[in-house]
Amino acid sequence: MFKKVLILATLLSATMAHADNPTIRGTVASKCSVYTTTQGVFGNPSPDVLSTAPAAGGVQPIVRYDVAIGDYYYGKITYPDSFTSSPTLTSSAVDVSQVSVPAMSAYTNNVVTYDNTFQYDLTEAGSTWFKVSAVATYGYNQAFPAGSYVASVVAECIAK
Amino acid sequence: MKKIVFAMLVAFCGPAMAHEMSPTYLEFTPSYVNDVLKTTIEIFNRREDVNYYEVEVFDKDRNLIPFVTPAKVVNIEYLEKKSIDVYIKRSDKDRTVYVCTLSRFIKEDKTKTNVSSRICSKIK
């Protein structure tokens, strides 16, 4: 009786042995992403001025940097110094200039500026928003010709 | 407090559009052609307003370095991910520092101020 029970127990507990090759999967994702949160719009408060300032009827472009790990990237924002597309302008006295790039974070005072570029050392992981302003004037007392005006802001994320 | 949190969520729920590129650090390896090195970058286009990205290769002073890609300006549709092989001469290896991608707009009648994005990976 005991032998039968033992055989039965052995048969019941005998299961198939499985061999498996467990896999480890991983994805290398971008550690710095540049988001265009808001595209800018030029307002035309007076005949010789185009401005992205809300008071002038414009919209300031907003760029967001998402950095997964801090201290691996520089963020560089270059404001426009000319139009990428515009009607034919007779005068060369067009000045498209940035007014401010107020970083909405701890980077406000941690910035290097040169030419028309603001460079930030992205030391903190997370999201940072940058707002760009641009004002264009067309010589002294000259009205901008009618048409569409486009200027480009360049937002860069550069590995250290 | 709940109202403030809700208001913040609503305020930040805009259509954000992103340009992503990986890896952060690159390495050039020998290709199937003598004295030509190759690396591969991957671009993920999450910008609805952009369908074209230009590949650029720079030295440390941001001077352009000659390179070859299947297409210098690559068409990448919204939410598409594309791998791009970049080839340089072996003699340029030591001075090559950055491989970048720059979003490109089609020149058309727009009234908006565009935001162009550039992401640069570094050669280690």
Side-chain angles (χ1 to χ4, degrees):
Chain A
M1 179 63 188
F2 179 72
K3 280 182 181 175
K4 282 180 183 173
V5 171
L6 189 65
I7 290 166
L8 193 64
T10 309
L11 283 172
L12 284 173
S13 64
T15 54
M16 287 177 69
H18 289 280
D20 202 357
N21 297 321
T23 53
I24 300 171
R25 295 177 197 279
T27 306
V28 176
S30 182
K31 295 286 181 284
C32 181
S33 305
V34 180
Y35 289 76
T36 310
T37 308
T38 307
Q39 295 278 18
V41 177
F42 276 125
N44 189 203
S46 61
D48 60 342
V49 173
L50 287 168
S51 172
T52 57
V59 176
Q60 289 177 285
I62 299 173
V63 181
R64 189 180 102 203
Y65 283 81
D66 276 10
V67 180
I69 40 173
D71 221 16
Y72 273 83
Y73 284 96
Y74 290 115
K76 282 171 71 172
I77 297 175
T78 304
Y79 57 82
D81 57 1
S82 63
F83 293 115
T84 50
S85 161
S86 69
T88 307
L89 300 170
T90 51
S91 167
S92 61
V94 179
D95 170 39
V96 182
S97 61
Q98 176 272 348
V99 177
S100 64
V101 184
M104 294 172 235
S105 72
Y107 301 128
T108 307
N109 298 317
N110 186 15
V111 58
V112 177
T113 56
Y114 54 91
D115 299 331
N116 51 340
T117 300
F118 279 58
Q119 180 172 311
Y120 297 87
D121 189 352
L122 301 174
T123 51
E124 306 289 331
S127 299
T128 313
W129 284 262
F130 296 91
K131 198 182 272 186
V132 183
S133 305
V135 178
T137 52
Y138 189 38
Y140 177 71
N141 240 0
Q142 275 190 294
F144 275 111
S148 293
Y149 292 80
V150 180
S152 274
V153 174
V154 181
E156 299 175 73
C157 202
I158 298 164
K160 284 186 183 179
Chain B
M1 182 62 191
K2 279 182 183 174
K3 283 180 182 172
I4 294 170
V5 172
F6 180 72
M8 283 177 73
L9 284 173
V10 170
F12 288 110
C13 278
M17 299 174 283
H19 168 190
E20 296 184 4
M21 174 178 157
S22 60
T24 303
Y25 298 114
L26 295 167
E27 196 176 347
F28 278 98
T29 53
S31 71
Y32 57 88
V33 181
N34 267 349
D35 292 329
V36 173
L37 304 177
K38 174 194 160 187
T39 193
T40 304
I41 56 171
E42 192 169 76
I43 306 172
F44 183 31
N45 180 23
R46 287 207 284 155
R47 290 191 64 168
E48 211 170 358
D49 57 334
V50 175
N51 290 124
Y52 293 93
Y53 288 88
E54 182 177 352
V55 180
E56 302 165 311
V57 179
F58 294 110
D59 68 5
K60 65 178 172 55
D61 299 319
R62 298 290 288 273
N63 298 312
L64 277 168
I65 285 177
F67 68 97
V68 173
T69 46
K72 195 176 177 189
V73 177
V74 186
N75 176 220
I76 305 175
E77 296 299 323
Y78 178 53
L79 294 180
E80 188 186 359
K81 193 180 271 189
K82 212 167 237 183
S83 288
I84 300 163
D85 293 332
V86 181
Y87 299 88
I88 62 164
K89 290 188 287 184
R90 186 182 290 276
S91 56
D92 288 332
K93 186 194 174 195
D94 291 339
R95 64 188 186 107
T96 302
V97 178
Y98 299 108
V99 176
C100 306
T101 54
L102 173 69
S103 64
R104 283 293 189 190
F105 294 93
I106 295 173
K107 193 172 180 179
E108 58 185 15
D109 197 21
K110 283 183 175 178
T111 53
K112 287 183 174 177
T113 302
N114 298 321
V115 177
S116 224
S117 51
R118 177 186 278 129
I119 296 182
C120 294
S121 296
K122 198 171 184 181
I123 313 300
K124 279 278 182 179

